[in-house]
Amino acid sequence: GEILLRMLKCVILPLVVASVITGLGAINAKSCGEQMTLTQQDIVGLQEREPNKKRKRKGKIGGVAVAYYLSTTIVAAILGLTLVSIIRPGTSQEAVDDIDELSLNQNTNTLDTIMDLLRGAFPDNIVRATFGKHATLLENMTRDDGTSYLKRTLEFKDGSMNMIGIIVFAIICGVIMSLYPSETGPLMRVIEAINELTMKLVTLILWFSPIGIFFLIAGQFAGVENFGEMMKQLGMYMVTVLVGLVIHFSITLPGLYFFFCRKNPLTYYYNMLPAVATAFGTDSSSATMPVTLTCVEERNKVDRRVSRFVIPVGATINMDGTALYEAVACLFIAQVNGVSLNFGQVVVTGLTATLAAIGAAGIPSAGLVTMVMVLNAVNLPTDMISVLLTVDWFLDRFRTITNVMGDAVGCAIVESVCQDELSSELVPNREGDAEQNLHPLLEEGQGCGEKHCDQKAIMGSTL
C-alpha cells in the first residue's frame, strides 16, 4: 500500500505540468484564426482588406473555450464544497461539538492561509517549489509586561510540493507557447512526448493498484473501531458526490446551454445519449472522444471547426466532475479525521481541486493521482484515500459522464458566442476545394490527434 502511494506521488509533477502545457499550448494552433486553409490569393486579399480585424478575430474561440472551462470547473468545485459542508458525510454525531470548538480556534489563521495561497501562486524559485512551500506559522509570545500576542513567521516547509505555484507556472508557459507556436514548436513536441510517457506510467501504476489498494483497505479497516459507522459515512459520501454530479449535470450545464444558445437543452442531451453510454462503459473521456465528436457534429449539427478544438482540449483540461469529486473527498477526509478546515483552508481546497482537475488525465481513475495533491495542499493524511477507492470505480463513471457532457455543452456555447467570427471566416474558395477549405480539420492528424479523432475512428464508432 505504501509503495502504491509513493508511485502515485512520483508521477504527480510530470503528469500535471505536461498535461497543462500541452492542453493550453494547442489552443492557438487549433483556434478559429488558424483553422482555415485558404489559398494564397485569399490570404493576401484578407490581409489587405482588414488586417486588424483579422488579428482580433484570431484565437477568440480559444479564449471563449478556456473561459468556459475555468468557469464551469470552479462552479463544480464550489458546488461540491457547499454540499459536503451542508451534508457533512464524514462527521459522526458524537464529534460535532468537538469539531465546532476546533473550528473556532482555527479561525484566526484564515487570513494567513489566504495570504500563503497568494504567495504560493507566484514562487520565487520554481525548482525549489518542487521540494516545499512557504507557510505562515503562528506562535504565542509574551511581552515583558505580561501581555501575550501572536508572532507570525514565514518558514519554508520541506516535503510538500507547491503545486499551486507549479500549475500557475505551467499555465503561463502553455499560454505563451500557444502565442508563439513556430518558435516553441520543438519544445512543445518534447513536452508532448513527456506527457505520453507519463500517461503510460500512470497506466502501469493503475495495473498495480488493485494489489496496493487491497492492502491499503485492509490496513485502514483493521484500525477502525466502529466498522458500521465507517460504512454509514462512506454511504453518505457517495450520496453527496452523486447529488453534486446530478445537480451539475441536470441543472448547471443545461442552464448555461439555454442561457447562451436559447435552445431546448433536452433535445441536445437526447442527441448525446450514445456518448453518455460510451462514457459510462469506458470510464474514460479520451476513449469516448470519437463518439462525442460524432454526436456533437452529426446529431447536434455543431460547427466542426468548433468541435474539433473544444472536444480534444476539453478532454484534457475540462474536468467538472473531477473537480467536484476531489473537493468533496478532501473535506470528507478532514471530517472523518475530526479536522475542521477554516475558511481560508476551504478556499485553498477549492482552488487546488480546480487546478488538479485541469491537470488530470482523461483516463480511468486519473483523479486518484491528483487527489494526493489536493490532500497535501491542506496537510491531510493521504492514506485515507484507500477508503474512497472502495467506491471510486463506481463514482468515476458518473464523473466521466459529467466531464463528457461538459465538453459537449461547451461546443454549443462556444459556437453560439463566436457565431459572427465563424461566419466572417467563410471566404470564397476555389472550385473543388470547398470541402477542404471549409473543414480543414477533417484531414488526418489535425485538430485533436490522429489516434483519437480521425474520420476512420469516428466512422468506426458510429458503426
Side-chain angles (χ1 to χ4, degrees):
E2 184 179 352
I3 292 175
L4 174 63
L5 291 178
R6 285 177 172 271
M7 290 192 297
L8 292 176
K9 293 178 181 180
C10 179
V11 297
I12 288 177
L13 182 62
L15 175 67
V16 172
V17 173
S19 178
V20 171
I21 292 180
T22 54
L24 295 176
I27 288 177
N28 190 64
K30 298 176 184 176
S31 60
C32 180
E34 295 187 5
Q35 282 185 354
M36 301 305 296
T37 306
L38 305 176
T39 64
Q40 185 64 29
Q41 183 179 0
D42 292 331
I43 295 175
V44 174
L46 285 174
Q47 290 175 344
E48 291 177 353
R49 289 193 300 268
E50 45 184 10
N52 294 330
K53 185 177 180 181
K54 176 71 175 179
R55 282 193 292 267
K56 291 180 180 179
R57 278 203 311 262
K58 182 178 179 180
K60 182 176 180 180
I61 285 184
V64 173
V66 171
Y68 168 80
Y69 298 151
L70 293 177
S71 60
T72 54
T73 304
I74 291 173
V75 168
I78 294 175
L79 176 61
L81 292 173
T82 303
L83 289 175
V84 74
S85 299
I86 295 174
I87 301 176
R88 302 184 69 87
T91 304
S92 59
Q93 188 63 33
E94 295 80 3
V96 171
D97 297 335
D98 296 336
I99 292 178
D100 290 339
E101 182 179 356
L102 180 59
S103 175
L104 180 64
N105 293 332
Q106 289 183 347
N107 281 337
T108 55
N109 199 28
T110 300
L111 180 61
D112 295 317
T113 304
I114 297 178
M115 295 301 296
D116 290 339
L117 172 66
L118 296 177
R119 293 190 194 98
F122 303 95
D124 54 355
N125 189 328
I126 191 62
V127 177
R128 194 183 184 192
T130 61
F131 296 97
K133 58 185 178 181
H134 288 88
T136 301
L137 299 180
L138 299 179
E139 184 180 0
N140 289 319
M141 303 295 292
T142 303
R143 297 186 179 91
D144 296 337
D145 57 0
T147 59
S148 60
Y149 67 97
L150 286 176
K151 179 182 179 182
R152 290 176 170 84
T153 57
L154 188 64
E155 295 187 3
F156 183 80
K157 291 185 177 181
D158 292 319
S160 179
M161 286 187 294
N162 180 12
M163 286 306 305
I164 293 180
I166 293 173
I167 293 177
V168 170
F169 178 81
I171 291 174
I172 295 174
C173 289
V175 172
I176 294 177
M177 294 178 75
S178 71
L179 297 176
Y180 304 96
S182 58
E183 293 86 350
T184 60
L187 178 59
M188 176 59 72
R189 288 191 288 272
V190 172
I191 297 177
E192 289 175 350
I194 295 175
N195 187 44
E196 291 293 329
L197 172 62
T198 309
M199 296 277 281
K200 298 296 182 183
L201 290 175
V202 172
T203 303
L204 291 177
I205 294 174
L206 293 179
W207 274 102
F208 169 76
S209 62
I211 302 175
I213 291 172
F214 172 79
F215 287 100
L216 279 174
I217 295 175
Q220 191 68 36
F221 281 105
V224 174
E225 298 179 359
N226 192 339
F227 185 79
E229 182 67 23
M230 175 61 71
M231 290 294 97
K232 179 181 177 181
Q233 292 174 343
L234 196 60
M236 291 302 299
Y237 162 75
M238 292 181 61
V239 171
T240 305
V241 174
L242 291 176
V243 168
L245 293 177
V246 168
I247 292 176
H248 191 76
F249 181 89
S250 60
I251 297 179
T252 305
L253 294 178
L256 291 174
Y257 176 83
F258 178 78
F259 179 80
F260 286 98
C261 302
R262 300 298 179 181
K263 297 178 181 179
N264 185 4
L266 296 179
T267 303
Y268 195 87
Y269 268 49
Y270 177 77
N271 293 331
M272 291 300 303
L273 286 180
V276 171
T278 305
F280 185 83
T282 61
D283 193 20
S284 171
S285 56
S286 296
T288 313
M289 197 186 303
V291 185
T292 306
L293 282 168
T294 302
C295 294
V296 169
E297 296 172 0
E298 304 299 333
R299 298 169 68 108
N300 285 316
K301 309 302 180 182
V302 175
D303 195 310
R304 299 191 182 197
R305 291 170 295 170
V306 176
S307 62
R308 296 302 175 96
F309 163 71
V310 174
I311 296 297
V313 178
T316 303
I317 64 177
N318 185 36
M319 299 285 183
D320 300 345
T322 303
L324 187 148
Y325 164 78
E326 293 186 348
V328 172
C330 186
L331 262 67
F332 171 76
I333 291 177
Q335 292 170 3
V336 170
N337 287 273
V339 177
S340 181
L341 303 179
N342 58 46
F343 177 76
Q345 291 170 323
V346 172
V347 171
V348 173
T349 302
L351 181 59
T352 309
T354 302
L355 297 177
I358 294 175
I363 58 177
S365 300
L368 172 66
V369 181
T370 53
M371 174 59 66
V372 179
M373 182 181 78
V374 180
L375 293 176
N376 285 332
V378 287
N379 299 318
L380 290 175
T382 57
D383 55 350
M384 282 293 296
I385 292 180
S386 59
V387 178
L388 306 183
L389 293 178
T390 57
V391 296
D392 182 75
W393 63 273
F394 179 73
L395 296 176
D396 193 25
R397 300 182 183 276
F398 292 93
R399 297 201 308 266
T400 304
I401 292 175
T402 306
N403 295 337
V404 169
M405 189 55 67
D407 297 339
V409 171
C411 286
I413 292 177
V414 172
E415 182 190 37
S416 178
V417 174
C418 301
Q419 190 63 50
D420 295 337
E421 283 72 19
L422 292 169
S423 300
S424 63
E425 288 291 342
L426 297 178
V427 297
N429 300 306
R430 291 180 179 177
E431 185 177 358
D433 293 338
E435 181 67 21
Q436 178 183 0
N437 290 339
L438 183 60
H439 304 306
L441 291 184
L442 291 178
E443 299 177 3
E444 184 177 356
Q446 295 188 19
C448 56
E450 55 187 1
K451 68 176 182 179
H452 291 303
C453 304
D454 57 300
Q455 284 181 291
K456 294 181 180 179
I458 297 175
M459 292 303 297
S461 64
T462 305
L463 294 176

